[in-house]
Amino acid sequence: MRKPARQAQTALNGREPSLLPELCSIEALFMLVVAAELLAVLLSVASQGLAALSWAHLGLVSALVLWITLASAAIICSARPLLERIPPLAAWLVVYVVILLCAGVFSALGQWLLKGIGRGFFDGWQVATHVLLTAIIAGMLLRYLYLLQRLRAQQQAELRARIQALQSRIEPHFLFNSMNSIASLIAVDPDLAERLVEDLADLFRAALSKTSKVSAERELALTRAYLRIEQLRLGERLRLSWDVATPPDDAELPHLLLQPLVENAIYHGIENSRTGGELAVKLRIEGGELALSVYNSIAESTQESRRAGNKLGLDNVRHRLQAFYGADAQLIIDARPESFCVNIRIVDVRQRPVLPREKKKA
């Protein structure tokens, strides 16, 4: 279930997808073994017929196909960093030649083990037949994998563009509200406003960053900086409850996921109320699973503005969660006359391992 989310994360971290087949994972090797066995059965039935099928012949064909498949996969996987440095067409040609060489080598080796080449039993035509069959099958398979990788690269490019568009809709509104908050404090307490400019600088750097995912601790720090500004602007009208456990080091969240939620809670549920209201943030991450809730009370005078103003921001957050995690994330809204609560649950927010050939951007 999580495979699409992992592919989305790779795309959103700014790494261009490779058009070469990925054969280094356990899942890929398992599929190769299954495909090799099915191919061995097909070749055996085609050459002997189902009625005369010999288990010994099937075993020999199966062994040959498996050796060719696994050896080719091992060589391609080991040489992948080098192949990615040359033009894609040349890389695919090298992959094709490697598979044909493995077919020729293991076909000849099989004859040597079974009959002995030094005793005149070597059959060059049989080796050529095996290489030709491998060329046909490998050509069709590589063509399919190439088209599949091209389609995946196109989908990832579209996903990157979609996420950037959604995030760009959040940043201007977020920065505009932060600047207004500080501007309202300049006449009342210039020294305090000056100190808050440092928090705003951090918010600017975060909002203008092109990073799609950040550590959970960084996302929480950004939200705390924003809430410090709002707490000093609204004073006792903002009654803040912050119940957040220290997140694991490997936990990551989409950039600007939490801050828009608390911003909505303040501007649509608390700011317009003369008596203010309560804002409660709860976050737990256990075993990689995240449970987040943002609750705010609503006064009667602000209920209509809440209904009119929350939908766009929440839809934006929902779409981003879907793009990053697919079905592994849920956003549930609990809207009542006196309160509004957003609940988010993500199956796994742990940082994905990075391959040695990939480097994270600072």
Side-chain angles (χ1 to χ4, degrees):
M1 174 177 290
R2 299 193 183 98
K3 188 174 181 180
R6 293 177 183 175
Q7 295 170 358
Q9 181 180 352
T10 302
L12 296 169
N13 282 340
R15 299 191 295 266
E16 291 297 331
S18 172
L19 292 180
L20 290 173
E22 178 59 67
L23 304 177
C24 303
S25 64
I26 297 178
E27 294 85 353
L29 289 177
F30 175 75
M31 295 304 298
L32 284 176
V33 170
V34 172
E37 287 298 325
L38 293 176
L39 178 60
V41 173
L42 176 63
L43 293 176
S44 298
V45 172
S47 62
Q48 290 191 321
L50 186 60
L53 180 62
S54 168
W55 288 104
H57 181 266
L58 176 60
L60 292 176
V61 174
S62 176
L64 177 61
V65 174
L66 277 176
W67 275 108
I68 295 173
T69 301
L70 296 179
S72 300
I75 295 173
I76 295 170
C77 183
S78 302
R80 187 182 178 90
L82 298 176
L83 294 174
E84 291 182 342
R85 300 177 185 176
I86 62 177
L89 182 60
W92 281 92
L93 182 60
V94 170
V95 169
Y96 188 57
V97 171
V98 165
I99 296 174
L100 297 185
L101 288 176
C102 287
V105 168
F106 284 103
S107 177
L109 181 61
Q111 290 192 44
W112 178 73
L113 291 175
L114 294 176
K115 303 177 181 178
I117 296 179
R119 287 180 286 180
F121 291 105
F122 179 72
D123 188 353
W125 285 109
Q126 187 178 26
V127 174
T129 301
H130 292 163
V131 173
L132 178 60
L133 289 174
T134 304
I136 296 173
I137 296 171
M140 293 188 296
L141 178 61
L142 291 179
R143 176 60 177 172
Y144 168 75
L145 291 176
Y146 176 77
L147 295 176
L148 185 63
Q149 292 293 90
R150 286 289 300 271
L151 177 61
R152 183 176 300 170
Q154 181 181 356
Q155 291 174 342
Q156 292 176 350
E158 293 173 354
L159 183 58
R160 283 196 300 271
R162 179 185 174 192
I163 288 296
Q164 291 171 0
L166 289 170
Q167 188 163 313
S168 67
R169 294 169 63 186
I170 293 178
E171 293 165 358
H173 184 254
F174 157 53
L175 296 175
F176 177 76
N177 287 334
S178 301
M179 294 176 67
N180 277 348
S181 299
I182 292 180
S184 65
L185 290 171
I186 292 177
V188 179
D189 192 341
D191 294 334
L192 179 59
E194 182 178 354
R195 290 197 301 270
L196 292 180
V197 168
E198 297 180 0
D199 281 337
L200 181 60
D202 288 338
L203 299 178
F204 260 102
R205 281 192 292 269
L208 297 177
S209 171
K210 299 303 180 182
T211 303
S212 298
K213 298 187 79 174
V214 296
S215 67
E217 185 59 41
R218 175 60 180 164
E219 181 68 16
L220 291 172
L222 173 66
T223 306
R224 289 190 182 100
Y226 177 79
L227 287 175
R228 282 196 296 269
I229 297 174
E230 293 295 67
Q231 182 77 76
L232 291 169
R233 181 175 70 91
L234 298 174
E236 295 181 356
R237 294 171 56 200
L238 175 58
R239 297 181 289 277
L240 179 62
S241 173
W242 187 266
D243 182 14
V244 175
T246 302
D249 294 336
D250 61 349
E252 287 187 329
L253 291 176
H255 185 44
L256 291 179
L257 173 70
L258 178 56
Q259 186 278 329
L261 298 179
V262 299
E263 182 180 0
N264 271 346
I266 292 173
Y267 278 86
H268 299 296
I270 297 175
E271 184 180 27
N272 294 332
S273 172
R274 293 181 180 180
T275 59
E278 179 186 359
L279 170 62
V281 179
K282 295 183 180 180
L283 185 143
R284 291 288 184 273
I285 301 178
E286 297 180 356
E289 182 174 346
L290 174 141
L292 167 68
S293 67
V294 178
Y295 165 92
N296 66 274
S297 59
I298 299 175
E300 293 182 3
S301 60
T302 62
Q303 288 182 17
E304 291 300 323
S305 64
R306 182 264 298 177
R307 295 191 186 101
N310 269 345
K311 188 174 186 301
L312 179 61
L314 291 176
D315 283 347
N316 198 319
V317 172
R318 181 184 289 107
H319 292 156
R320 295 174 72 215
L321 286 173
Q322 183 180 9
F324 276 105
Y325 301 104
D328 290 349
Q330 290 182 326
L331 187 149
I332 302 174
I333 297 175
D334 183 8
R336 303 182 183 183
E338 72 284 355
S339 66
F340 192 88
C341 185
V342 179
N343 298 286
I344 293 178
R345 186 171 298 275
I346 303 175
V347 172
D348 192 356
V349 295
R350 288 172 295 191
Q351 183 180 14
R352 304 298 183 189
V354 180
L355 296 178
R357 61 184 176 82
E358 298 169 342
K359 296 182 179 179
K360 280 193 167 183
K361 295 184 178 180

